[in-house]
């Protein structure tokens, strides 16, 4: 999502006078060049040619750790070629900016000059009033969004979902679900088909972020279970939950490092409910159904995104990292 890590940031940075961001033009000379999620197709050769510029590599995926990811779908499984490309860029760059704190820790083993700058959400998309309570028709409205290839994460909470099958309405906002299920690792597709058949599920086709936020505004909770035995999943950002929180949806999530970060800085302990076991998930669903402190939880969800993950806030973090590099 290059628009998130460039355009949304640049829109704010370029309003000031200290520094200017633009898309790379080969005929221009720059004080610094940022390789944004770019590490293959000659990027290493281009990096070597930019000796007159400071070079920053923005890392957004843990390509560095290959073992332990065997249960991932083949299409997102990091390869040895990607690992080598990531290591070349990381060791050669003057600075690394990682999209999650956990990934920054991994990158720092290859380059000590590593910083963390989170993903961001445009200020204009944060806020508004959730139009419905989280429970409608006797069912808790539960939202999950993401690539269809990552729906296997729902199997982490298969038991809680089955226990609450008559009390929740699961909304999936995703892409081509049938073909993705066919490509899941052996056994996952079959289990997931059975699970979705046994739940009340509505499939929403993902169109764009504003349309997704409009769906979220109908109310409920955002969930993000994760298969955390996979190193790949440990380094993901907070985006999956903060996007729902930006619409006022409290989050229920696995103890992924980025989610723990959000929970720690939220003003309400239930803006993000971290669940490390089936019992935790059942308790979280039951509590959300009870509609306790929903307005406070919703307000705290919005607040933490506005204070820490709005584009205007993250742009200052990003430009500060760049100015620090250029001042040396």
């Amino acid at each position: 999502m290059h628009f998130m890590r460039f355009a949304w940031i640049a829109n704010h940075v370029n309003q000031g006078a200290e520094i200017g961001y633009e898309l790379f033009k080969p005929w221009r000379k720059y004080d610094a060049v940022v390789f944004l999620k770019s590490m293959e197709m000659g990027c290493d050769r281009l990096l070597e040619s930019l000796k007159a510029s400071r070079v920053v590599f923005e890392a957004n995926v843990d390509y560095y750790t290959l073992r332990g990811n065997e249960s991932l779908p083949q299409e997102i499984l990091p390869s040895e070629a990607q690992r080598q490309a990531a290591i070349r860029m990381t060791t050669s760059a003057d600075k690394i900016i990682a999209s999650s704190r956990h990934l920054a820790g991994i990158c720092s083993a290859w380059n000590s000059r590593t910083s963390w700058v989170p993903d961001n959400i445009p200020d204009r998309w944060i806020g508004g009033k959730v139009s419905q309570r989280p429970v409608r028709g006797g069912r808790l409205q539960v939202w999950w969004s993401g690539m269809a290839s990552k729906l296997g994460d729902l199997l982490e909470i298969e038991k809680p979902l089955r226990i609450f099958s008559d009390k929740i309405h699961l909304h999936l906002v995703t892409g081509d679900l049938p073909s993705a299920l066919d490509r899941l690792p052996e056994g996952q597709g079959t289990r997931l088909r059975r699970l979705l058949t046994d739940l009340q599920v509505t499939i929403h086709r993902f169109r764009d972020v504003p349309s997704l936020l409009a769906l979220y505004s109908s109310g409920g909770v955002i969930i993000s279970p994760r298969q955390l035995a996979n190193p790949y999943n440990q380094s993901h950002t907070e985006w999956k939950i903060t996007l729902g929180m930006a619409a006022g949806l409290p989050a229920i999530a696995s103890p992924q490092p980025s989610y723990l970060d959000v929970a720690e800085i939220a003003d309400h302990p239930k803006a993000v409910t971290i669940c490390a076991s089936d019992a935790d998930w059942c308790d979280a669903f039951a509590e959300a159904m009870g509609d306790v402190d929903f307005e406070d939880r919703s307000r705290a969800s919005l607040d933490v995104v506005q204070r820490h993950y709005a584009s205007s806030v993250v742009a200052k973090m990003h430009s500060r990292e760049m100015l620090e590099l250029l001042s040396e």
Side-chain angles (χ1 to χ4, degrees):
M1 300 178 75
H2 288 67
F3 55 86
M4 177 204 298
R5 302 293 296 189
F6 169 68
W8 296 352
I9 295 291
N11 287 342
H12 289 277
V13 172
N14 291 343
Q15 292 175 19
E18 288 186 291
I19 191 170
Y21 288 8
E22 70 173 33
L23 289 175
F24 179 75
K25 298 178 176 65
W27 58 89
R28 299 271 311 257
K29 290 185 177 180
Y30 295 97
D31 295 312
V33 175
V34 178
F35 285 78
L36 179 57
K37 307 181 183 181
S38 301
M39 60 185 191
E40 297 175 286
M41 298 176 63
C43 285
D44 54 348
R45 293 191 299 274
L46 176 58
L47 185 152
E48 288 300 318
S49 73
L50 294 169
K51 293 298 186 182
S53 304
R54 299 296 180 93
V55 174
V56 177
F57 176 54
E58 283 216 26
N60 74 306
V61 172
D62 180 7
Y63 292 119
Y64 311 85
T65 310
L66 300 187
R67 291 184 179 179
N69 289 316
E70 291 77 16
S71 62
L72 290 174
Q74 189 65 36
E75 62 199 84
I76 61 174
L77 189 66
S79 67
E80 178 60 32
Q82 287 175 316
R83 179 176 183 270
Q84 293 302 323
I87 291 173
R88 283 196 300 273
M89 295 297 291
T90 304
T91 55
S92 300
D94 296 300
K95 186 178 185 65
I96 309 301
I97 294 179
S99 58
S100 75
R101 195 189 302 272
H102 187 266
L103 182 56
I106 293 170
C107 292
S108 64
W110 301 97
N111 189 325
S112 61
R113 300 187 62 179
T114 298
S115 300
W116 164 61
V117 175
D119 282 344
N120 64 100
I121 299 172
D123 298 54
R124 67 184 182 279
W125 290 348
I126 303 171
K129 184 174 178 60
V130 176
S131 59
Q132 300 284 344
R133 307 300 293 186
V135 177
R136 296 196 301 277
R139 290 179 179 266
L140 177 67
Q141 306 299 301
V142 176
W143 293 88
W144 182 95
S145 71
M147 295 170 55
S149 59
K150 297 183 179 181
L151 267 165
D153 282 333
L154 286 176
L155 294 175
E156 288 293 293
I157 59 169
E158 179 177 8
K159 184 175 180 180
L161 287 173
R162 289 191 177 281
I163 290 172
F164 282 81
S165 61
D166 62 341
K167 297 181 177 69
I168 65 172
H169 182 169
L170 180 61
H171 296 267
L172 303 178
V173 189
T174 189
D176 187 352
L177 182 58
S179 62
L181 292 176
D182 291 337
R183 297 194 302 272
L184 286 177
E186 185 177 357
Q188 286 190 24
T190 300
R191 283 178 61 195
L192 196 51
R193 283 190 182 90
R194 290 173 180 166
L195 175 61
L196 297 181
T197 299
D198 293 340
L199 301 175
Q200 183 177 105
V201 179
T202 298
I203 310 294
H204 306 266
R205 186 77 178 193
F206 177 80
R207 301 185 185 282
D208 52 39
V209 176
S211 299
L212 176 61
L213 292 171
L215 289 171
Y216 286 163
S217 68
S218 65
V221 296
I222 185 84
I223 65 166
S224 188
R226 289 289 198 183
Q227 297 175 349
L228 294 180
N230 297 326
Y232 176 89
N233 281 343
Q234 292 274 359
S235 288
H236 279 311
T237 75
E238 63 292 315
W239 169 259
K240 191 179 291 289
I241 64 168
T242 51
L243 198 55
M245 295 170 72
L249 304 185
I252 305 174
S254 294
Q256 178 184 297
S258 292
Y259 300 163
L260 293 171
D261 283 343
V262 183
E264 183 177 344
I265 57 179
D267 284 341
H268 194 290
K270 298 298 181 180
V272 182
T273 302
I274 299 297
C275 300
S277 66
D278 286 346
D280 289 345
W281 280 94
C282 288
D283 288 345
F285 284 150
E287 186 171 41
M289 286 207 63
D291 200 9
V292 177
D293 292 337
F294 176 75
E295 289 186 2
D296 290 340
R297 295 172 68 182
S298 177
R299 192 178 303 111
S301 299
L302 283 170
D303 175 71
V304 73
V305 175
Q306 287 174 326
R307 287 189 294 115
H308 296 280
Y309 301 101
S311 297
S312 59
V313 175
V314 176
K316 292 177 182 177
M317 297 173 63
H318 198 283
S319 61
R320 186 164 57 243
E321 295 294 337
M322 297 302 296
L323 287 167
E324 181 181 294
L325 175 64
L326 293 171
S327 68
E328 296 173 354

